[in-house]
Amino acid sequence: MSIAVEAVDVVVGYDATPVADVGSFTVHADRLTVITGPNGSGKTTLLKTLAGLLPPISGRILPQLPPGAGGVVFVHSTPYLFAGTVRHNVGLSWRGDERRAADALRTLGAEQLWNKDVRRLSTGERQRVAIARALAAEPRLLVIDEPEGGLDAQGSSSWRRIVEQALFTGYPSIVIATHQLSALEGLSMNVVSLSQDQA
């Protein structure tokens, strides 16, 4: 079983204030890593730490992947899109490589949004574009907070196919935070459960 990332004795938080004592776990390339727990338990903080956006208060994340293309990409639960078209946003992942951008949108069933202004997108469409932009970067590690948020049935189905393909090929390794484990039924996964009293 190929190891993508290891968290060793990790405590996550902001500045010197702990949010969660996560401990140790391994992200495998052929297994979806799912972070669960109630609101306030530190799921998003852990995801940002895995993505290199926050340093761990203690412990280590190994290896430390570079952010962006070919490294680690983080998608927030309310993703930020830059002003302009969907084409512009997804193309940013590879400095305007339209083939990768178009392929990523097609994977999410969102190719019809190519020339649409992001200000006119629905919540679900914004989520699809954000995931497509992340995929276009061809990351080694993809970290997503609540990927199913706002997705309609077609978007959710497309997202599941992406995960299935990633588990089959071992690329990218995927870590998500979710409250909806039932939607992942049948997938090979490792569940990391956080509680509000772990800090």
Side-chain angles (χ1 to χ4, degrees):
M1 195 177 293
S2 175
I3 296 174
V5 175
E6 286 188 279
V8 182
D9 298 326
V10 168
V11 175
V12 299
Y14 296 89
D15 298 320
T17 305
V19 172
D21 184 347
V22 178
S24 300
F25 65 91
T26 302
V27 176
H28 293 281
D30 56 355
R31 183 176 291 181
L32 177 66
T33 298
V34 181
I35 312 298
T36 66
N39 291 336
S41 61
K43 297 187 300 296
T44 299
T45 309
L46 174 55
L47 293 184
K48 289 181 176 179
T49 303
L50 289 171
L53 301 175
L54 291 172
I57 288 179
S58 63
R60 296 171 294 158
I61 307 292
L62 301 171
Q64 293 183 326
L65 298 173
V72 56
V73 173
F74 174 72
V75 180
H76 198 277
S77 57
T78 52
Y80 178 82
L81 298 179
F82 296 96
T85 63
V86 168
R87 173 183 180 177
H88 168 69
N89 270 267
V90 182
L92 288 172
S93 292
W94 277 95
R95 297 180 179 87
D97 185 328
E98 291 192 355
R99 180 188 58 81
R100 284 194 177 101
D103 286 348
L105 278 173
R106 194 173 299 111
T107 300
L108 269 298
E111 62 271 24
Q112 74 280 4
L113 302 176
W114 184 251
N115 290 312
K116 196 167 184 179
D117 190 308
V118 295
R119 293 174 297 181
R120 297 179 173 273
L121 299 179
S122 68
T123 300
E125 289 171 339
R126 291 178 69 86
Q127 186 76 336
R128 284 202 212 185
V129 170
I131 294 173
R133 183 174 62 190
L135 291 172
E138 297 185 349
R140 179 175 167 186
L141 178 65
L142 178 59
V143 181
I144 305 186
D145 197 358
E146 303 286 350
E148 70 283 346
L151 291 179
D152 58 15
Q154 181 185 356
S156 296
S157 178
S158 297
W159 167 242
R160 184 180 173 100
R161 285 197 302 273
I162 289 166
V163 174
E164 290 172 344
Q165 179 67 15
L167 298 182
F168 178 74
T169 62
Y171 191 88
S173 301
I174 301 176
V175 180
I176 67 169
T178 185
H179 293 287
Q180 300 183 26
L181 275 175
S182 60
L184 305 171
E185 187 176 346
L187 297 177
S188 177
M189 71 179 81
N190 177 40
V191 178
V192 179
S193 298
L194 304 182
S195 62
Q196 287 180 311
D197 58 359
Q198 283 183 291

